[in-house]
Amino acid sequence: MRKVVLLLTGWMFLFNLALTAQQHGTKPPAANTGTIYGKLLDAQTGKPVEYASVAVLRPDSSVLTGMLSKPNGDFNFENLAIGKYILKINFIGYEAFFKPVQLNTQSTSVDAGNIKLRPNVKSLAAVNVVGEKPAFTMAIDKRVFNVEKNLASIGGTATDVLKQVPSVSVDIDGNVSVRNGAPTIFVDGRPTTLTLDQIPADAIANIEVVTNPSAKYDAEGMSGILNIVLKKNKKAGINGQLSAGVTSLGSTNTGIDFNLRQEKFNFFVNYGTRNRKSPMTSRISRKNILADTTTYTDQLQDGDFYRNFQTGRIGFDWFIDNRNTLTISEGLTGGNFNRYNDQTQNEMDIHRELVRYGTGINNSKNGFRNYTTQLGYKHTFAREGEELTADFTYNYATSDNSSAYSLQYYNLKGDTINSPVKPQNRYSNGDGKTTYITGQIDYVRPFSDKSKIEMGLRTNTRKFDNYTNTFGQNYPSGTFTIDSALSNNYHYQEQINAGYVSYTGSQGNFGYQAGLRAEQSNYNGETRFGDKASYKINYPISLFPSVFLSQKFKGDHELQLNYSRRIRRPWFRDLLPTIDYSGQNASRGNPDLRPEFTNSFELSYLKDIAHKHNVLVSLYYRNTDNAITDFYVDTTLNLNGQTQRVLLSYPINASTRNSYGAEITVRSQLTKDWDLTANVNLAQTKINAGNQGDNLSNSGFTWFGKLNSNTKLPWNLTLQITGEYESRQILPQGERKPQYSIDAGVKKDMLKNKALSISLTLNDIFNSDRNLSYTTTAFSETENYRKRLSRELRLNATWRFGKMDYNLFKRKNNKSGKDNNGEMGGGDKSE
């Protein structure tokens, strides 16, 4: 009888809450939502308190929603908009309880802990409400850029997304740099065998940029870590979206995201296809400085780059209870990246007069399959902020490749010639497989609301097996034989084990974090073709300390000073000694390459002005020993019995690389409907490779800028314009010329709740994105120009469907206004 009375009393209270909430009539937003959960206990007996009324109040104390606690004392509020709230708990015979909570982009799931209700005490604790963080945020060890609404990347890949992120530079080949250095790229915090062009842009929620990572992150990466966070839908009921697009170059994309959430289970699946075509051209102009004369060579290639692939992901979350969650997912990506090029080679004398020319093809086909299995477990403790997480990631990738190359020379009359340069005709085929396994366990233990300790263990194992057989045609017999200089059969394996501990604390407005990471790594490689050789490298335990200091001042501004030690290890292709040859250029790996170590310092200042303008200024300095960089040398290669003079490149360890600079990022809400984000990076870099030869060093000043403008127009239109400029980049033996590009896009939202969106974007308006570099050696001067037709008009449509439904599978008589979870019925829960 007592339970019945308590239940009826609780529902009468919640009915009043519902009326108050409906009077305020505010719907939760469709995106940027989170969860608040906890457990109610009797302070004296420790037993669960059931049927207690739990309400979520807005900062002005108006009621947003409410529920009754479950028989085990649990309560759970999902799909709450990011922001600040107050938990209010009322129950007959107990003291009313208030607790401030905040959901933000860094913490979308808040555990209120075990709340102990005390009987017959009528005191009310003070409630302090913390303001929301700015849209552009800087934590003590990372910065987060929300890129979900970026128009220029719709229908593209992760490469297109990263081009829009402040601090990040991406060249036409998809090579990524941050502050003129190569970062480590993760997907959902873990290594991956996927390339950036194999990740659809529509699957990405945000990008985390960690310019100077703390000890809890991998020490790999000279300029920090880029973490690509994939979207994951946890809305209740059935919902998702359909998307499709087409471009002026004939590219297409389609996708579907589907999510089903009910009570303890969340099931999600997404699938997409991409078919992209990129016309491309390249030109290599070389001055050959011989002992007795000077000649010139121009190599021209024109063709198309086709990327056709599909990707899918399926998985589920099992919310065992409020404290334990199990997640399993499986991803599959497969497709083909093919290049088809016609080539012309012109040989000229000292007066740049044409002596002979050659024509042919240079084609390659690359197929791939990638499988990713992830298993994750999370346990949260009653103490707020205490949690244990463990996860396992298994990546397996297979590939196959083939190529065809030919070059036939002609005299000025157009007659074929076979001397002094013989015809070249060869083809190749091969395949490979990669296995990447990651296991990690992390534990966070708060001591108070101002201090905590974090610790964890991690192990990575990566294996590569690749072979390529290249067959060249012998002249004049016409028979094909295997070319040992361009063939390989290679095995490579690495294992990296790591552990870390980090302590965070504060005194007033002064915060500090000190951590130490230990990493130990083993490498071994084996060539199984031709002159068989193997190597094995065991690096002892290396220590990577990090220190972060921060001081907050009145007026919403903060100063940070941090230091960390970093490492960049040679990877598979850096060590592979086999040769990759194209025209007059060749490249190979260097098995003697050693890791580089960097000491990184950063001083940052963040100012928030009236919650409308954010200014972030960073000064940084990096000192690198054994710096890995590319080295060029003139040499001769014997290919199919022919001796050919080529410019050979391979990675080396320079003595040092020193970089210092400043980065400024400003985000400003200029008007209610117009916001602007500007990012500028200024840097001075010096590379000293004197250990490889006399006077082999270079230095110079570089700068990089990016601007992003978003304007809300009438009729649910959004206009976005982005632009970037990168000055010349120094190389040990040359430089890369400046480059720039500008994108523009407009989006129209339609239908109820903006369920349908149509976007039209024009990428690289002036078709200016290209790569132009110069290299100088003792015997040659080379200009290398490469260009993809990057100006592309894209039309995309996205339709979002579904409605939150907390009672999808349990349809019962709900006249009393209660569902089976003890939550309110009759309210509008749609988004």
Side-chain angles (χ1 to χ4, degrees), residues 337-374:
F337 287 1
N338 301 330
R339 293 175 172 86
Y340 301 95
N341 292 289
D342 295 324
Q343 64 174 339
T344 300
Q345 190 152 305
N346 298 322
E347 304 281 352
M348 294 165 284
D349 61 19
I350 191 172
H351 304 295
R352 299 193 72 98
E353 297 289 338
L354 185 64
V355 175
R356 56 184 168 268
Y357 67 94
T359 61
I361 61 171
N362 185 7
N363 301 334
S364 65
K365 297 181 179 180
N366 297 274
F368 59 88
R369 296 290 185 275
N370 186 287
Y371 309 86
T372 301
T373 302
Q374 291 182 304

mmCIF file of all heavy atoms in Angstrom, residues 337-374:
data_model
loop_
_atom_site.group_PDB
_atom_site.id
_atom_site.type_symbol
_atom_site.label_atom_id
_atom_site.label_comp_id
_atom_site.label_asym_id
_atom_site.label_seq_id
_atom_site.Cartn_x
_atom_site.Cartn_y
_atom_site.Cartn_z
ATOM 1 N N PHE A 337 41.333 2.680 -56.640
ATOM 2 C CA PHE A 337 41.927 3.968 -56.999
ATOM 3 C C PHE A 337 42.818 3.730 -58.218
ATOM 4 O O PHE A 337 43.852 3.069 -58.114
ATOM 5 C CB PHE A 337 42.766 4.530 -55.842
ATOM 6 C CG PHE A 337 41.966 5.051 -54.683
ATOM 7 C CD1 PHE A 337 40.575 5.000 -54.676
ATOM 8 C CD2 PHE A 337 42.592 5.602 -53.584
ATOM 9 C CE1 PHE A 337 39.829 5.480 -53.614
ATOM 10 C CE2 PHE A 337 41.862 6.090 -52.503
ATOM 11 C CZ PHE A 337 40.479 6.022 -52.517
ATOM 12 N N ASN A 338 42.401 4.263 -59.356
ATOM 13 C CA ASN A 338 43.106 4.000 -60.607
ATOM 14 C C ASN A 338 43.575 5.301 -61.258
ATOM 15 O O ASN A 338 42.842 6.296 -61.259
ATOM 16 C CB ASN A 338 42.199 3.248 -61.592
ATOM 17 C CG ASN A 338 41.719 1.915 -61.030
ATOM 18 O OD1 ASN A 338 42.405 1.286 -60.228
ATOM 19 N ND2 ASN A 338 40.543 1.486 -61.449
ATOM 20 N N ARG A 339 44.776 5.263 -61.805
ATOM 21 C CA ARG A 339 45.346 6.405 -62.523
ATOM 22 C C ARG A 339 45.698 5.992 -63.951
ATOM 23 O O ARG A 339 46.327 4.952 -64.154
ATOM 24 C CB ARG A 339 46.610 6.907 -61.819
ATOM 25 C CG ARG A 339 46.368 7.522 -60.454
ATOM 26 C CD ARG A 339 47.701 7.882 -59.791
ATOM 27 N NE ARG A 339 47.535 8.642 -58.570
ATOM 28 C CZ ARG A 339 47.336 8.119 -57.372
ATOM 29 N NH1 ARG A 339 47.257 6.790 -57.249
ATOM 30 N NH2 ARG A 339 47.213 8.878 -56.303
ATOM 31 N N TYR A 340 45.278 6.842 -64.899
ATOM 32 C CA TYR A 340 45.582 6.604 -66.306
ATOM 33 C C TYR A 340 46.234 7.862 -66.880
ATOM 34 O O TYR A 340 45.627 8.936 -66.851
ATOM 35 C CB TYR A 340 44.311 6.268 -67.089
ATOM 36 C CG TYR A 340 43.578 5.053 -66.565
ATOM 37 C CD1 TYR A 340 42.523 5.198 -65.660
ATOM 38 C CD2 TYR A 340 43.938 3.771 -66.955
ATOM 39 C CE1 TYR A 340 41.843 4.095 -65.163
ATOM 40 C CE2 TYR A 340 43.266 2.657 -66.463
ATOM 41 C CZ TYR A 340 42.227 2.826 -65.575
ATOM 42 O OH TYR A 340 41.564 1.727 -65.091
ATOM 43 N N ASN A 341 47.466 7.724 -67.381
ATOM 44 C CA ASN A 341 48.214 8.882 -67.870
ATOM 45 C C ASN A 341 48.856 8.605 -69.223
ATOM 46 O O ASN A 341 49.453 7.535 -69.426
ATOM 47 C CB ASN A 341 49.328 9.261 -66.884
ATOM 48 C CG ASN A 341 48.797 9.804 -65.574
ATOM 49 O OD1 ASN A 341 48.275 10.903 -65.521
ATOM 50 N ND2 ASN A 341 48.920 9.013 -64.519
ATOM 51 N N ASP A 342 48.716 9.571 -70.117
ATOM 52 C CA ASP A 342 49.531 9.602 -71.330
ATOM 53 C C ASP A 342 50.751 10.471 -71.043
ATOM 54 O O ASP A 342 50.636 11.524 -70.415
ATOM 55 C CB ASP A 342 48.741 10.194 -72.499
ATOM 56 C CG ASP A 342 47.564 9.317 -72.887
ATOM 57 O OD1 ASP A 342 47.698 8.081 -72.822
ATOM 58 O OD2 ASP A 342 46.502 9.871 -73.226
ATOM 59 N N GLN A 343 51.911 10.046 -71.509
ATOM 60 C CA GLN A 343 53.114 10.796 -71.195
ATOM 61 C C GLN A 343 53.923 11.111 -72.453
ATOM 62 O O GLN A 343 53.908 10.374 -73.439
ATOM 63 C CB GLN A 343 53.982 10.052 -70.184
ATOM 64 C CG GLN A 343 54.532 8.721 -70.654
ATOM 65 C CD GLN A 343 55.507 8.133 -69.635
ATOM 66 O OE1 GLN A 343 56.068 8.838 -68.802
ATOM 67 N NE2 GLN A 343 55.721 6.824 -69.699
ATOM 68 N N THR A 344 54.602 12.253 -72.373
ATOM 69 C CA THR A 344 55.511 12.702 -73.429
ATOM 70 C C THR A 344 56.810 13.151 -72.774
ATOM 71 O O THR A 344 56.780 13.839 -71.746
ATOM 72 C CB THR A 344 54.912 13.869 -74.225
ATOM 73 O OG1 THR A 344 53.686 13.455 -74.828
ATOM 74 C CG2 THR A 344 55.879 14.342 -75.304
ATOM 75 N N GLN A 345 57.930 12.750 -73.380
ATOM 76 C CA GLN A 345 59.230 13.156 -72.839
ATOM 77 C C GLN A 345 60.039 13.808 -73.954
ATOM 78 O O GLN A 345 60.238 13.215 -75.019
ATOM 79 C CB GLN A 345 59.970 11.945 -72.271
ATOM 80 C CG GLN A 345 61.200 12.325 -71.480
ATOM 81 C CD GLN A 345 61.519 11.304 -70.402
ATOM 82 O OE1 GLN A 345 60.684 10.992 -69.568
ATOM 83 N NE2 GLN A 345 62.731 10.785 -70.454
ATOM 84 N N ASN A 346 60.498 15.026 -73.700
ATOM 85 C CA ASN A 346 61.278 15.784 -74.670
ATOM 86 C C ASN A 346 62.720 15.892 -74.204
ATOM 87 O O ASN A 346 62.985 16.307 -73.081
ATOM 88 C CB ASN A 346 60.698 17.190 -74.851
ATOM 89 C CG ASN A 346 59.284 17.164 -75.403
ATOM 90 O OD1 ASN A 346 58.958 16.339 -76.256
ATOM 91 N ND2 ASN A 346 58.425 18.050 -74.907
ATOM 92 N N GLU A 347 63.651 15.531 -75.101
ATOM 93 C CA GLU A 347 65.088 15.645 -74.821
ATOM 94 C C GLU A 347 65.626 16.825 -75.631
ATOM 95 O O GLU A 347 65.422 16.893 -76.852
ATOM 96 C CB GLU A 347 65.812 14.364 -75.224
ATOM 97 C CG GLU A 347 65.265 13.097 -74.578
ATOM 98 C CD GLU A 347 65.752 12.935 -73.153
ATOM 99 O OE1 GLU A 347 66.627 13.723 -72.736
ATOM 100 O OE2 GLU A 347 65.249 12.042 -72.452
ATOM 101 N N MET A 348 66.310 17.771 -74.939
ATOM 102 C CA MET A 348 66.793 18.985 -75.589
ATOM 103 C C MET A 348 68.278 19.193 -75.326
ATOM 104 O O MET A 348 68.828 18.691 -74.334
ATOM 105 C CB MET A 348 65.992 20.190 -75.068
ATOM 106 C CG MET A 348 64.517 20.152 -75.473
ATOM 107 S SD MET A 348 63.489 21.307 -74.533
ATOM 108 C CE MET A 348 63.354 20.438 -72.956
ATOM 109 N N ASP A 349 68.908 19.960 -76.229
ATOM 110 C CA ASP A 349 70.343 20.203 -76.093
ATOM 111 C C ASP A 349 70.601 21.426 -75.231
ATOM 112 O O ASP A 349 69.686 21.963 -74.598
ATOM 113 C CB ASP A 349 70.990 20.353 -77.475
ATOM 114 C CG ASP A 349 70.414 21.532 -78.271
ATOM 115 O OD1 ASP A 349 69.791 22.433 -77.643
ATOM 116 O OD2 ASP A 349 70.578 21.556 -79.501
ATOM 117 N N ILE A 350 71.856 21.890 -75.237
ATOM 118 C CA ILE A 350 72.259 22.999 -74.378
ATOM 119 C C ILE A 350 71.519 24.288 -74.709
ATOM 120 O O ILE A 350 71.373 25.171 -73.866
ATOM 121 C CB ILE A 350 73.799 23.204 -74.481
ATOM 122 C CG1 ILE A 350 74.283 24.168 -73.382
ATOM 123 C CG2 ILE A 350 74.188 23.679 -75.878
ATOM 124 C CD1 ILE A 350 75.789 24.259 -73.308
ATOM 125 N N HIS A 351 71.021 24.393 -75.957
ATOM 126 C CA HIS A 351 70.275 25.591 -76.384
ATOM 127 C C HIS A 351 68.767 25.399 -76.231
ATOM 128 O O HIS A 351 67.992 26.211 -76.743
ATOM 129 C CB HIS A 351 70.615 25.915 -77.839
ATOM 130 C CG HIS A 351 72.079 26.104 -78.082
ATOM 131 N ND1 HIS A 351 72.805 27.128 -77.539
ATOM 132 C CD2 HIS A 351 72.965 25.353 -78.825
ATOM 133 C CE1 HIS A 351 74.076 27.043 -77.924
ATOM 134 N NE2 HIS A 351 74.195 25.964 -78.712
ATOM 135 N N ARG A 352 68.351 24.334 -75.547
ATOM 136 C CA ARG A 352 66.946 23.988 -75.357
ATOM 137 C C ARG A 352 66.243 23.716 -76.687
ATOM 138 O O ARG A 352 65.035 23.909 -76.836
ATOM 139 C CB ARG A 352 66.193 25.062 -74.563
ATOM 140 C CG ARG A 352 66.736 25.304 -73.155
ATOM 141 C CD ARG A 352 65.791 26.134 -72.318
ATOM 142 N NE ARG A 352 64.617 25.342 -71.940
ATOM 143 C CZ ARG A 352 64.488 24.731 -70.746
ATOM 144 N NH1 ARG A 352 65.427 24.847 -69.844
ATOM 145 N NH2 ARG A 352 63.400 24.036 -70.473
ATOM 146 N N GLU A 353 67.025 23.260 -77.664
ATOM 147 C CA GLU A 353 66.466 22.837 -78.945
ATOM 148 C C GLU A 353 66.127 21.351 -78.866
ATOM 149 O O GLU A 353 66.917 20.547 -78.367
ATOM 150 C CB GLU A 353 67.464 23.080 -80.083
ATOM 151 C CG GLU A 353 67.824 24.536 -80.311
ATOM 152 C CD GLU A 353 66.668 25.331 -80.907
ATOM 153 O OE1 GLU A 353 65.772 24.694 -81.512
ATOM 154 O OE2 GLU A 353 66.655 26.565 -80.756
ATOM 155 N N LEU A 354 64.944 20.975 -79.364
ATOM 156 C CA LEU A 354 64.483 19.597 -79.287
ATOM 157 C C LEU A 354 65.373 18.682 -80.116
ATOM 158 O O LEU A 354 65.632 18.936 -81.299
ATOM 159 C CB LEU A 354 63.037 19.499 -79.766
ATOM 160 C CG LEU A 354 62.364 18.125 -79.635
ATOM 161 C CD1 LEU A 354 62.241 17.733 -78.166
ATOM 162 C CD2 LEU A 354 60.994 18.142 -80.290
ATOM 163 N N VAL A 355 65.827 17.607 -79.488
ATOM 164 C CA VAL A 355 66.660 16.618 -80.167
ATOM 165 C C VAL A 355 65.827 15.387 -80.519
ATOM 166 O O VAL A 355 65.903 14.850 -81.618
ATOM 167 C CB VAL A 355 67.860 16.218 -79.282
ATOM 168 C CG1 VAL A 355 68.666 15.100 -79.946
ATOM 169 C CG2 VAL A 355 68.744 17.417 -79.004
ATOM 170 N N ARG A 356 65.024 14.926 -79.617
ATOM 171 C CA ARG A 356 64.144 13.771 -79.821
ATOM 172 C C ARG A 356 63.029 13.856 -78.785
ATOM 173 O O ARG A 356 63.113 14.597 -77.808
ATOM 174 C CB ARG A 356 64.903 12.449 -79.708
ATOM 175 C CG ARG A 356 65.633 12.292 -78.397
ATOM 176 C CD ARG A 356 66.467 11.012 -78.338
ATOM 177 N NE ARG A 356 67.365 11.049 -77.180
ATOM 178 C CZ ARG A 356 68.605 11.502 -77.213
ATOM 179 N NH1 ARG A 356 69.115 11.964 -78.355
ATOM 180 N NH2 ARG A 356 69.358 11.507 -76.120
ATOM 181 N N TYR A 357 61.992 13.040 -79.003
ATOM 182 C CA TYR A 357 60.899 13.002 -78.037
ATOM 183 C C TYR A 357 60.362 11.582 -77.946
ATOM 184 O O TYR A 357 60.528 10.765 -78.863
ATOM 185 C CB TYR A 357 59.774 13.972 -78.428
ATOM 186 C CG TYR A 357 59.038 13.593 -79.698
ATOM 187 C CD1 TYR A 357 57.863 12.840 -79.643
ATOM 188 C CD2 TYR A 357 59.507 13.993 -80.952
ATOM 189 C CE1 TYR A 357 57.196 12.488 -80.798
ATOM 190 C CE2 TYR A 357 58.843 13.645 -82.107
ATOM 191 C CZ TYR A 357 57.684 12.887 -82.030
ATOM 192 O OH TYR A 357 57.022 12.539 -83.178
ATOM 193 N N GLY A 358 59.705 11.299 -76.811
ATOM 194 C CA GLY A 358 59.144 9.971 -76.607
ATOM 195 C C GLY A 358 57.706 10.083 -76.130
ATOM 196 O O GLY A 358 57.321 11.053 -75.469
ATOM 197 N N THR A 359 56.887 9.089 -76.460
ATOM 198 C CA THR A 359 55.494 9.051 -76.010
ATOM 199 C C THR A 359 55.189 7.671 -75.452
ATOM 200 O O THR A 359 55.831 6.674 -75.806
ATOM 201 C CB THR A 359 54.508 9.365 -77.145
ATOM 202 O OG1 THR A 359 54.659 8.379 -78.183
ATOM 203 C CG2 THR A 359 54.757 10.749 -77.731
ATOM 204 N N GLY A 360 54.183 7.611 -74.573
ATOM 205 C CA GLY A 360 53.805 6.328 -73.991
ATOM 206 C C GLY A 360 52.719 6.510 -72.957
ATOM 207 O O GLY A 360 52.003 7.524 -72.939
ATOM 208 N N ILE A 361 52.604 5.544 -72.069
ATOM 209 C CA ILE A 361 51.585 5.576 -71.021
ATOM 210 C C ILE A 361 52.245 5.302 -69.668
ATOM 211 O O ILE A 361 53.334 4.732 -69.596
ATOM 212 C CB ILE A 361 50.471 4.541 -71.273
ATOM 213 C CG1 ILE A 361 51.050 3.116 -71.285
ATOM 214 C CG2 ILE A 361 49.727 4.839 -72.560
ATOM 215 C CD1 ILE A 361 50.000 2.024 -71.306
ATOM 216 N N ASN A 362 51.549 5.715 -68.608
ATOM 217 C CA ASN A 362 51.975 5.396 -67.246
ATOM 218 C C ASN A 362 50.702 5.193 -66.418
ATOM 219 O O ASN A 362 50.149 6.143 -65.862
ATOM 220 C CB ASN A 362 52.841 6.515 -66.664
ATOM 221 C CG ASN A 362 53.408 6.162 -65.307
ATOM 222 O OD1 ASN A 362 53.272 5.041 -64.831
ATOM 223 N ND2 ASN A 362 54.037 7.132 -64.665
ATOM 224 N N ASN A 363 50.211 3.962 -66.379
ATOM 225 C CA ASN A 363 48.935 3.644 -65.741
ATOM 226 C C ASN A 363 49.138 2.775 -64.507
ATOM 227 O O ASN A 363 50.082 1.974 -64.448
ATOM 228 C CB ASN A 363 48.008 2.899 -66.710
ATOM 229 C CG ASN A 363 47.715 3.702 -67.966
ATOM 230 O OD1 ASN A 363 47.781 4.931 -67.953
ATOM 231 N ND2 ASN A 363 47.393 3.018 -69.054
ATOM 232 N N SER A 364 48.250 2.922 -63.538
ATOM 233 C CA SER A 364 48.301 2.070 -62.345
ATOM 234 C C SER A 364 46.890 1.823 -61.830
ATOM 235 O O SER A 364 46.013 2.686 -61.942
ATOM 236 C CB SER A 364 49.155 2.708 -61.249
ATOM 237 O OG SER A 364 48.576 3.908 -60.793
ATOM 238 N N LYS A 365 46.677 0.630 -61.283
ATOM 239 C CA LYS A 365 45.400 0.253 -60.683
ATOM 240 C C LYS A 365 45.671 -0.278 -59.279
ATOM 241 O O LYS A 365 46.554 -1.107 -59.078
ATOM 242 C CB LYS A 365 44.693 -0.821 -61.514
ATOM 243 C CG LYS A 365 44.317 -0.385 -62.922
ATOM 244 C CD LYS A 365 43.601 -1.511 -63.663
ATOM 245 C CE LYS A 365 43.194 -1.088 -65.057
ATOM 246 N NZ LYS A 365 42.493 -2.195 -65.782
ATOM 247 N N ASN A 366 44.870 0.201 -58.326
ATOM 248 C CA ASN A 366 45.039 -0.214 -56.943
ATOM 249 C C ASN A 366 43.678 -0.546 -56.340
ATOM 250 O O ASN A 366 42.803 0.322 -56.248
ATOM 251 C CB ASN A 366 45.694 0.896 -56.123
ATOM 252 C CG ASN A 366 47.092 1.226 -56.600
ATOM 253 O OD1 ASN A 366 48.059 0.592 -56.199
ATOM 254 N ND2 ASN A 366 47.204 2.223 -57.474
ATOM 255 N N GLY A 367 43.478 -1.783 -55.954
ATOM 256 C CA GLY A 367 42.256 -2.207 -55.286
ATOM 257 C C GLY A 367 42.519 -2.435 -53.812
ATOM 258 O O GLY A 367 43.642 -2.774 -53.405
ATOM 259 N N PHE A 368 41.507 -2.250 -52.982
ATOM 260 C CA PHE A 368 41.707 -2.398 -51.541
ATOM 261 C C PHE A 368 40.420 -2.866 -50.867
ATOM 262 O O PHE A 368 39.316 -2.625 -51.344
ATOM 263 C CB PHE A 368 42.167 -1.076 -50.917
ATOM 264 C CG PHE A 368 41.209 0.070 -51.118
ATOM 265 C CD1 PHE A 368 40.172 0.307 -50.224
ATOM 266 C CD2 PHE A 368 41.329 0.910 -52.217
ATOM 267 C CE1 PHE A 368 39.292 1.351 -50.413
ATOM 268 C CE2 PHE A 368 40.446 1.961 -52.419
ATOM 269 C CZ PHE A 368 39.417 2.181 -51.519
ATOM 270 N N ARG A 369 40.616 -3.548 -49.743
ATOM 271 C CA ARG A 369 39.544 -3.931 -48.833
ATOM 272 C C ARG A 369 40.052 -3.667 -47.423
ATOM 273 O O ARG A 369 41.171 -4.032 -47.077
ATOM 274 C CB ARG A 369 39.180 -5.415 -48.982
ATOM 275 C CG ARG A 369 38.613 -5.797 -50.335
ATOM 276 C CD ARG A 369 37.223 -5.233 -50.549
ATOM 277 N NE ARG A 369 36.647 -5.712 -51.801
ATOM 278 C CZ ARG A 369 36.865 -5.154 -52.988
ATOM 279 N NH1 ARG A 369 37.659 -4.106 -53.081
ATOM 280 N NH2 ARG A 369 36.309 -5.655 -54.074
ATOM 281 N N ASN A 370 39.199 -3.068 -46.603
ATOM 282 C CA ASN A 370 39.594 -2.745 -45.243
ATOM 283 C C ASN A 370 38.499 -3.172 -44.281
ATOM 284 O O ASN A 370 37.335 -2.810 -44.460
ATOM 285 C CB ASN A 370 39.866 -1.236 -45.111
ATOM 286 C CG ASN A 370 40.416 -0.870 -43.750
ATOM 287 O OD1 ASN A 370 39.706 -0.876 -42.762
ATOM 288 N ND2 ASN A 370 41.699 -0.543 -43.702
ATOM 289 N N TYR A 371 38.867 -3.930 -43.250
ATOM 290 C CA TYR A 371 37.916 -4.421 -42.253
ATOM 291 C C TYR A 371 38.346 -3.899 -40.885
ATOM 292 O O TYR A 371 39.506 -4.042 -40.492
ATOM 293 C CB TYR A 371 37.884 -5.944 -42.234
ATOM 294 C CG TYR A 371 37.680 -6.585 -43.589
ATOM 295 C CD1 TYR A 371 38.773 -6.837 -44.426
ATOM 296 C CD2 TYR A 371 36.413 -6.931 -44.042
ATOM 297 C CE1 TYR A 371 38.604 -7.424 -45.675
ATOM 298 C CE2 TYR A 371 36.227 -7.520 -45.282
ATOM 299 C CZ TYR A 371 37.329 -7.755 -46.099
ATOM 300 O OH TYR A 371 37.153 -8.320 -47.330
ATOM 301 N N THR A 372 37.415 -3.303 -40.156
ATOM 302 C CA THR A 372 37.713 -2.758 -38.837
ATOM 303 C C THR A 372 36.702 -3.279 -37.822
ATOM 304 O O THR A 372 35.496 -3.081 -37.972
ATOM 305 C CB THR A 372 37.663 -1.221 -38.842
ATOM 306 O OG1 THR A 372 38.604 -0.721 -39.798
ATOM 307 C CG2 THR A 372 38.017 -0.666 -37.472
ATOM 308 N N THR A 373 37.212 -3.963 -36.806
ATOM 309 C CA THR A 373 36.371 -4.469 -35.722
ATOM 310 C C THR A 373 36.758 -3.747 -34.435
ATOM 311 O O THR A 373 37.939 -3.685 -34.091
ATOM 312 C CB THR A 373 36.558 -5.981 -35.533
ATOM 313 O OG1 THR A 373 36.245 -6.654 -36.754
ATOM 314 C CG2 THR A 373 35.655 -6.504 -34.427
ATOM 315 N N GLN A 374 35.759 -3.211 -33.735
ATOM 316 C CA GLN A 374 36.015 -2.491 -32.496
ATOM 317 C C GLN A 374 35.129 -3.040 -31.388
ATOM 318 O O GLN A 374 33.931 -3.258 -31.582
ATOM 319 C CB GLN A 374 35.765 -0.998 -32.664
ATOM 320 C CG GLN A 374 36.780 -0.305 -33.568
ATOM 321 C CD GLN A 374 36.539 1.184 -33.681
ATOM 322 O OE1 GLN A 374 35.453 1.606 -34.050
ATOM 323 N NE2 GLN A 374 37.552 1.984 -33.360
#
